[in-house]
């Protein structure tokens, strides 16, 4: 791993920053560290007061924690953002076309692009919903596509999140904090606003309502409850959109229609933004022991009487073995080259790839194909001999459960540390909304930062923090990059 590219300082360090970001480098130099720390503490006190917390499952000290926030923003130039947005739209359209196809005609399997066992043998493939077509044919209404950067123009997709991507509340609250604590930055830079996200999410939800829902479809956010690690985000989004936050016990199914029980009686529900995983959402179809589900919900969905955002079955698009085929998937459905490349990936299920990974375990990153949150992962260069030996055994026993990638020199962004401002590695999760008529990329996102020096693990559950992400506007501002639907060859056959 070579010297990491810093997104503000470039390769020149604090004294020779990238020319276009010299003003930000001056701000970091001119505001004393003590003042930056005071502002940071003020932001964290506000987050604690608001209850912006998360829980780490399995942590015996599991107190609700705030995700550490950093006061130095990450910045995207207008041309960078335009290029990223085009790639994100292309990839999201391909994900939607892929999901529509594998639960429908399966043309991609007939064409031999993917090995069938990668679908049929995948725990995230849900045969129970095969043949269902969601309202307006949209599966992944909300995508969080994780990006990493390794140089001035080198961006790569690290993973796709099409199930229930979280973190958007932190994007919005981080921006609120920055406007309050660092107003001078918004005078010096033309930063695209992100506060339209709840309105755009509600617009997306309404656009995919069942055809008979009428002009004002009833939308709700479905949460498993306050014990969930992302409950703050569920309540924040429902409140921001001005719609009801419901728990499973608040919903009932009658004659394949979904109703919310209120003190005024039953009210029909047309669109559900669900934050409950497939396994638990309907005990009639999935896990019968689930206490979090709504019995009969999938029957109502199959009948076309409710839209589920995101659709059940999307988890297969998050699978890291499927990720390794995303360039081929994009080519198959868009008939064009991917605008955003994948990180090079070795599929350990393939003998030659497994041999390479076993020979280079101290150099690569190994991940579970269905893992998330930074768990079940080996970072070879920083792993102990015992950890490497343990992963070697696991790989030999179940190679199909793993992929491996090179250890990238992830870009850094200056970050306030105990000893002053210093570079820390980051990744980035932008949010892409797909409605019935358009795909749009919100001009910002969640920058996650590894707060430990040298660490590449940015997940909040592993001690990472977050930053605000500035998207700078040029003289002809285009606050949200969007594209009308129809850019992909979707499967439209009879279901």
């Amino acid at each position: 791993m070579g010297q990491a590219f810093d997104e503000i300082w470039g390769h020149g360090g604090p004294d020779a920053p990238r020319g276009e970001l010299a003003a930000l480098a001056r701000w970091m130099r001119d505001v004393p560290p003590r003042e930056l720390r005071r502002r940071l503490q003020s932001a964290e006190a506000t987050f604690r007061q608001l209850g912006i917390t998360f829980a780490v499952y399995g942590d015996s000290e599991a107190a609700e924690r705030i995700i550490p926030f950093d006061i130095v923003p990450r910045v995207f130039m207008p041309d960078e953002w335009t290029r990223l947005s085009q790639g994100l739209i292309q990839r999201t359209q391909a994900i939607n076309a892929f999901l529509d196809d594998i639960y429908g005609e399966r043309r991609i399997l007939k064409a031999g692009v993917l090995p069938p066992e990668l679908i049929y043998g995948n725990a995230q493939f849900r045969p129970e919903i095969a043949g269902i077509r969601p309202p307006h044919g949209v599966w992944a209404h909300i995508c969080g596509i994780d990006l990493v950067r390794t140089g001035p123009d080198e961006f790569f997709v690290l993973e796709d999140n099409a199930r229930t991507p979280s973190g958007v509340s932190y994007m919005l609250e981080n921006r609120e904090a920055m406007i309050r604590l660092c107003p001078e930055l918004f005078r010096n830079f033309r930063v695209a606003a992100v506060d339209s996200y709840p309105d755009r999410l509600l617009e997306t939800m309404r656009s995919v309502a069942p055809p008979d829902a009428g002009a004002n479809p009833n939308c709700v956010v479905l949460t498993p409850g306050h014990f969930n690690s992302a409950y703050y985000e569920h309540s924040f989004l429902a409140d921001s959109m001005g719609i009801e936050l419901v728990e499973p016990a608040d919903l009932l199914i009658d004659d394949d229609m979904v109703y919310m029980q209120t003190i005024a009686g039953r009210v029909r529900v047309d669109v559900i933004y669900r934050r409950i995983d497939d396994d638990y959402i309907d005990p009639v179809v999935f896990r019968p022991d689930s206490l979090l589900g709504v019995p009969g919900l999938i029957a109502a969905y199959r009948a076309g009487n409710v839209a589920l955002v995101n659709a059940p079955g999307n988890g297969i698009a998050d699978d890291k073995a499927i990720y390794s085929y995303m360039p081929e998937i994009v080519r198959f459905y868009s008939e064009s080259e991917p605008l955003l490349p994948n990180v090079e990936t070795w599929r350990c299920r393939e003998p030659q790839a497994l041999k390479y990974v076993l020979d280079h375990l101290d150099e690569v990153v190994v991940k579970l194909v269905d893992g998330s949150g930074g768990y079940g992962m080996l970072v070879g260069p920083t792993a102990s001999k015992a950890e490497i030996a343990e992963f070697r055994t696991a790989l030999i026993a179940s190679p199909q459960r793993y992929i491996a990638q090179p250890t990238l020199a992830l870009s850094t962004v200056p970050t306030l540390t105990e000893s002053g401002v210093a570079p820390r590695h980051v990744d980035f999760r932008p949010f892409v909304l797909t409605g019935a008529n358009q795909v749009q990329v919100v001009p910002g996102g969640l920058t996650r930062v590894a707060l430990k020096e040298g660490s590449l693990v940015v997940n909040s559950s592993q001690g990472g923090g977050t930053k605000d992400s500035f998207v700078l506007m040029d003289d002809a501002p285009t606050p949200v990059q969007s594209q009308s639907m129809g850019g992909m060859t979707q499967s439209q056959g009879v279901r």
Side-chain angles (χ1 to χ4, degrees):
M1 223 175 43
Q3 175 66 36
F5 169 76
D6 190 273
E7 302 201 15
I8 295 173
W9 294 336
H11 288 297
D15 299 325
R18 297 171 67 199
E20 59 268 40
L21 294 175
L24 185 57
R26 274 197 305 276
W27 174 81
M28 281 187 287
R29 191 178 63 232
D30 294 345
V31 180
R34 181 181 297 176
E35 171 60 13
L36 289 177
R37 196 159 282 112
R38 185 196 67 77
R39 297 185 193 186
L40 187 59
Q41 287 165 349
S42 173
E44 291 183 342
T46 301
F47 291 166
R48 201 168 276 111
Q49 193 175 10
L50 289 170
I52 307 175
T53 60
F54 75 103
V56 179
Y57 296 132
D59 187 340
S60 54
E61 310 176 355
E64 297 277 319
R65 309 176 188 172
I66 63 165
I67 294 183
F69 169 68
D70 186 66
I71 200 103
V72 181
R74 186 216 198 122
V75 180
F76 291 95
M77 304 307 293
D79 59 329
E80 291 173 346
W81 189 252
T82 297
R83 189 158 53 88
L84 286 178
S85 295
Q86 290 167 348
L88 291 166
I89 287 170
Q90 180 198 51
R91 193 171 180 105
T92 301
Q93 288 181 319
I95 287 171
N96 268 294
F98 168 69
L99 290 164
D100 198 56
D101 188 23
I102 61 163
Y103 289 112
E105 294 179 349
R106 299 173 184 158
R107 294 181 298 117
I108 197 165
L109 298 185
K110 293 169 187 170
V113 176
L114 295 180
E117 65 271 18
L118 207 60
I119 303 293
Y120 300 132
N122 197 307
Q124 293 301 325
F125 178 67
R126 304 293 185 181
E128 301 91 339
I129 59 153
I132 298 178
R133 193 155 197 259
H136 305 278
V138 182
W139 294 77
H141 310 81
I142 307 159
C143 272
I145 295 178
D146 292 349
L147 302 175
V148 294
R149 186 177 193 171
T150 58
D153 299 306
E154 288 80 47
F155 290 91
F156 297 90
V157 176
L158 188 63
E159 63 182 51
D160 302 293
N161 296 281
R163 260 180 294 195
T164 50
S166 61
V168 76
S169 59
Y170 299 105
M171 171 186 83
L172 296 168
E173 293 287 14
N174 287 353
R175 176 60 53 84
E176 284 287 320
M178 289 297 288
I179 290 171
R180 182 167 55 85
L181 297 169
C182 303
E184 67 275 19
L185 289 177
F186 296 88
R187 291 192 293 269
N188 294 340
F189 295 98
R190 294 191 64 218
V191 182
V194 295
D195 58 1
S196 64
Y197 179 85
D199 292 339
R200 294 184 182 281
L201 176 56
L202 184 57
E203 172 193 9
T204 298
M205 291 172 65
R206 285 178 169 157
S207 79
V208 297
D212 65 344
N216 192 24
N218 190 24
C219 305
V220 300
V221 176
L222 175 62
T223 176
H226 61 85
F227 49 82
N228 183 268
S229 65
Y231 180 74
Y232 171 78
E233 177 155 296
H234 308 166
S235 57
F236 174 90
L237 286 172
D239 187 53
S240 301
M241 289 188 282
I243 63 178
E244 293 293 333
L245 177 69
V246 299
E247 296 189 21
D250 299 321
L251 300 180
L252 65 89
I253 313 298
D254 187 3
D255 195 22
D256 287 346
M257 296 285 191
V258 183
Y259 296 94
M260 173 173 56
Q261 303 183 91
T262 74
I263 53 172
R266 291 183 182 184
V267 177
R268 182 177 166 183
V269 173
D270 303 300
V271 184
I272 300 173
Y273 177 18
R274 53 94 179 210
R275 297 296 294 258
I276 297 176
D277 289 342
D278 288 357
D279 275 343
Y280 303 99
I281 199 164
D282 183 345
V284 175
V285 175
F286 298 117
R287 284 183 57 157
D289 61 341
S290 170
L291 301 178
L292 299 175
V294 181
L297 181 59
I298 296 300
Y301 177 61
R302 182 181 290 278
N305 294 328
V306 68
L308 297 178
V309 175
N310 282 336
N314 279 15
I316 193 161
D318 292 9
D319 183 90
K320 292 177 177 63
I322 297 293
Y323 159 92
S324 72
Y325 283 95
M326 273 305 294
E328 291 90 336
I329 290 170
V330 170
R331 289 187 195 102
F332 183 78
Y333 295 109
S334 71
E335 299 178 355
S336 58
E337 284 301 305
L339 299 174
L340 284 174
N342 271 15
V343 176
E344 182 184 6
T345 302
W346 295 281
R347 305 173 190 120
C348 296
R349 62 195 293 277
E350 297 171 0
Q352 282 301 108
L354 176 63
K355 181 179 185 309
Y356 177 87
V357 171
L358 290 173
D359 289 345
H360 297 83
L361 272 177
D362 59 341
E363 300 171 20
V364 299
V365 177
V366 183
K367 300 176 182 178
L368 282 166
V369 294
D370 57 350
S372 63
Y375 296 104
M377 187 167 86
L378 176 80
V379 181
T382 60
S384 67
K385 287 183 178 177
E387 288 168 330
I388 288 175
E390 186 182 335
F391 260 80
R392 181 181 299 280
T393 302
L395 274 165
I396 292 169
S398 304
Q400 75 284 356
R401 295 187 65 210
Y402 296 92
I403 55 103
Q405 295 171 329
T407 309
L408 300 178
L410 301 189
S411 65
T412 58
V413 173
T415 300
L416 186 62
T417 71
E418 289 299 320
S419 54
V421 175
R424 292 291 185 266
H425 294 291
V426 294
D427 79 352
F428 181 60
R429 176 175 293 178
F431 295 94
V432 187
L433 297 175
T434 302
N437 306 308
Q438 66 174 342
V439 187
Q440 36 185 340
V441 185
V442 183
L446 182 67
T447 288
R448 301 184 298 181
V449 54
L451 295 174
K452 297 173 186 169
E453 185 174 3
S455 174
L456 297 171
V457 182
V458 299
N459 307 76
S460 54
S461 54
Q462 310 288 313
T466 67
K467 289 174 171 286
D468 194 5
S469 309
F470 285 11
V471 173
L472 301 188
M473 296 188 290
D474 57 22
D475 293 332
T478 50
V480 175
Q481 195 79 21
S482 67
Q483 182 171 313
S484 62
M485 293 295 284
M488 292 285 159
T489 315
Q490 290 215 9
S491 171
Q492 302 289 344
V494 177
R495 303 299 152 96

